[in-house]
Amino acid sequence: MSQQQRPAWTGGSDEALVPLGRGDEAAPTTEGQGQPPAPAEQARPATEPRQETEPRQETEPRQETEPRPADRSGPAEQARPAEPARPAEPAQPAQQAQPADRRTAVDQRERPEPGPPPPDRRQPPPEGPRDRGDGRTDRAPQAERGARPDRLAGVTKPASGRSTATAADFTAERYLRGQAAPPRDGWRRFVWWLTGGRINFGPSPAEVAERQLIARAKAPVAGCRSIAVISRKGGVGKTTTTLMLGHTFASLRGDRVVALDGNPDAGSLGYRVRRETAATVTNLLTDEREILRYADIRSYTNQAPTRLEVVASDDDPRITTALGEEEYRRAIGLLERHYNLILLDTGTGVLESATKGILQLADQIVVVMSPSLDSARTAASTLDWLNENGHAELVRNAIAVVNAVQEEGLVELDKVAEHFQGRCRAVVQVPWDPHLSAGAETQIDRLRPVTRRAYLEVAAAVADGFTA
């Protein structure tokens, strides 16, 4: 069945064509009519008028060849001649008629999303680097220029947002896997060696305790610290204690340690280390005005492999007895300019002028005694004299050392230690060692382990008083 042709529109009806894009205007009304005339054609979705700055877009292409159908309910439908029956066409989505107010009937689906508001031309653009025209830019903004000194100084600031992370968080303790030190000796060391380091039981309790003592001996020193080793009885190991305490400090610490022989009776401290120079404390005082730097004073000292330096005394008693309180004050004042720890080996008489000067300048004292009854009594009387002569603070902070302790003996050393613990800050017993009893140059690696451990305890006890 052939499809009949629709008659062309002659323009005889009252319906007028509405130009595309102008259909949103309201239909005119006349007086006396209750309702506005019906629209002449079926409602079409109209696009919202665009601004002149944006290009106009049509939502649907306009068909020029096919005329738009007229509204069947309007008066123009009666004037149009009847059309023959047409075959059924495929169903299309129905379109609703536009309401009376066409300005509110715009299809929301066809309305474009609103864009950002145009920038306010009255506001100046953000500050930034400006092009100078020669390929270079002007200086950075003021905020960035203020942050440059902090970056050069290593100061970092957290990133923007809720994060507080900075470059300072990258530390070895946080980002490196734990690497336990291998055991030093014993069966733990054997297991570690046998398994190629895969099994590590860690250090033994004795090794842990030793590490704690080393940490205590490395306590920092503010300025210079003078430690006097005293005893009113000769032959108890006062010079040996001074030497070993200096070796222990010098081998563990990174600062400078020096020992001064202050015995006016021809002390032997200078013979317990390798002699590098023949200069003595007398030469040091003679050239006092010429010593300005550490390199100058180094030619008057003897240095051991442990880095301990020793200022020897003169062998002639007639020279050493001439050195009194004032001379030793000058010597200690000179050493304080170049060293952090000064160990003072005193004579046997606390009433001597040299010993008085040393005690006046000492920050701490170490009282040495042998494991005998008369030596312990002499050490106790020394503390009594110090308390009576204005050195009570030195007594309270003193360290008592019982030297050359042997396994067999008649003296109950536990009771002796109990007596001095009530008067001093600490008491340490040092075992007898054949290498030290020889009285020759001391070599640390030839000492017994228990002897080295005992002097480490002495050094740790003395270092505990650095902050006192």
Side-chain angles (χ1 to χ4, degrees):
M1 177 178 179
S2 62
Q3 183 176 358
Q4 298 181 2
Q5 297 293 333
R6 294 178 59 184
W9 180 62
T10 59
S13 68
D14 295 335
E15 180 183 6
L17 289 176
V18 180
L20 183 64
R22 298 176 181 261
D24 291 342
E25 299 179 0
T29 57
T30 57
E31 292 184 355
Q33 295 180 352
Q35 298 180 352
E41 60 181 359
Q42 189 175 0
R44 292 172 56 89
T47 58
E48 185 179 2
R50 305 297 182 96
Q51 298 182 1
E52 296 182 359
T53 57
E54 299 180 0
R56 296 179 56 184
Q57 298 179 358
E58 297 185 10
T59 57
E60 296 181 0
R62 184 175 179 179
Q63 301 290 340
E64 298 292 340
T65 58
E66 182 179 358
R68 289 177 294 179
D71 192 358
R72 299 177 183 178
S73 59
E77 183 68 22
Q78 300 177 1
R80 176 177 297 182
E83 298 179 357
R86 298 177 57 186
E89 297 181 356
Q92 296 182 355
Q95 297 181 353
Q96 298 180 358
Q98 294 183 355
D101 190 359
R102 295 187 177 182
R103 288 175 296 179
T104 61
V106 180
D107 193 351
Q108 299 296 333
R109 294 174 298 178
E110 301 295 336
R111 178 177 298 177
E113 298 182 359
D120 190 358
R121 301 182 180 274
R122 293 175 296 177
Q123 298 181 357
E127 184 178 0
R130 298 181 296 272
D131 191 358
R132 309 172 77 175
D134 56 354
R136 297 179 298 174
T137 55
D138 202 353
R139 298 181 60 187
Q142 184 67 24
E144 184 178 353
R145 292 199 300 267
R148 283 179 179 175
D150 291 342
R151 293 198 301 266
L152 295 178
V155 179
T156 57
K157 296 181 179 179
S160 60
R162 295 183 298 175
S163 175
T164 59
T166 62
D169 297 336
F170 287 90
T171 59
E173 292 78 5
R174 179 175 296 183
Y175 287 94
L176 296 184
R177 295 184 179 90
Q179 298 178 356
R184 186 182 57 190
D185 50 18
W187 64 269
R188 299 169 184 265
R189 176 75 180 187
F190 177 75
V191 173
W192 177 85
W193 172 82
L194 188 64
T195 60
R198 290 187 295 270
I199 299 178
N200 188 356
F201 290 99
S204 62
E207 188 175 350
V208 172
E210 183 176 349
R211 292 181 181 179
Q212 294 175 355
L213 292 175
I214 294 175
R216 289 168 55 191
K218 292 182 178 180
V221 178
C224 180
R225 197 79 173 176
S226 299
I227 304 160
V229 183
I230 64 174
S231 176
R232 290 178 57 190
K233 186 176 180 60
V236 297
K238 176 174 50 63
T239 300
T240 301
T241 303
T242 304
L243 183 69
M244 291 306 304
L245 187 58
H247 281 311
T248 305
F249 276 134
S251 61
L252 298 177
R253 304 175 61 90
D255 42 17
R256 299 170 182 169
V257 183
V258 64
L260 173 63
D261 194 344
N263 190 351
D265 296 331
S268 61
L269 183 62
Y271 293 98
R272 304 295 295 271
V273 295
R274 182 172 56 88
R275 296 297 294 263
E276 295 179 338
T277 178
T280 62
V281 64
T282 305
N283 305 118
L284 182 68
L285 294 175
T286 303
D287 303 334
E288 178 183 3
R289 296 182 180 273
E290 301 177 3
I291 300 175
L292 303 176
R293 300 167 298 181
Y294 172 72
D296 300 332
I297 201 173
R298 180 63 184 85
S299 60
Y300 297 87
T301 63
N302 304 287
Q303 190 177 51
T306 59
R307 296 178 51 253
L308 171 66
E309 300 181 34
V310 175
V311 179
S313 62
D314 293 278
D315 295 334
D316 192 349
R318 293 175 297 181
I319 300 177
T320 55
T321 54
L323 300 178
E325 178 179 353
E326 182 63 26
E327 286 74 19
Y328 278 100
R329 283 179 176 270
R330 290 165 47 198
I332 295 175
L334 183 58
L335 293 176
E336 286 179 347
R337 304 175 192 173
H338 307 284
Y339 296 90
N340 302 97
L341 289 180
I342 302 177
L343 302 174
L344 304 170
D345 184 15
T346 63
T348 55
V350 293
L351 299 179
E352 295 177 351
S353 177
T355 306
K356 284 184 178 181
I358 291 176
L359 290 176
Q360 290 292 336
L361 298 178
D363 299 305
Q364 295 175 240
I365 61 173
V366 177
V367 182
V368 184
M369 68 193 80
S370 62
S372 61
L373 188 59
D374 59 341
S375 180
R377 185 186 301 110
T378 303
S381 64
T382 302
L383 297 181
D384 295 339
W385 184 88
L386 292 174
N387 280 325
E388 295 171 359
N389 290 271
H391 300 288
E393 183 64 26
L394 290 177
V395 174
R396 285 192 296 269
N397 200 31
I399 305 298
V401 175
V402 183
N403 189 43
V405 175
Q406 299 183 7
E407 297 180 358
E408 298 180 0
L410 298 177
V411 180
E412 296 184 5
L413 297 179
D414 294 338
K415 293 183 179 180
V416 174
E418 183 180 356
H419 170 82
F420 286 97
Q421 283 177 352
R423 307 184 64 177
C424 304
R425 187 162 50 85
V427 180
V428 182
Q429 298 183 19
V430 179
W432 177 85
D433 193 284
H435 180 65
L436 295 177
S437 62
E441 182 179 344
T442 305
Q443 298 179 6
I444 304 301
D445 54 352
R446 297 185 60 182
L447 295 176
R448 293 178 176 177
V450 290
T451 306
R452 291 198 300 266
R453 172 64 179 268
Y455 282 113
L456 179 58
E457 294 180 3
V458 176
V462 171
D464 289 342
F466 289 168
T467 58

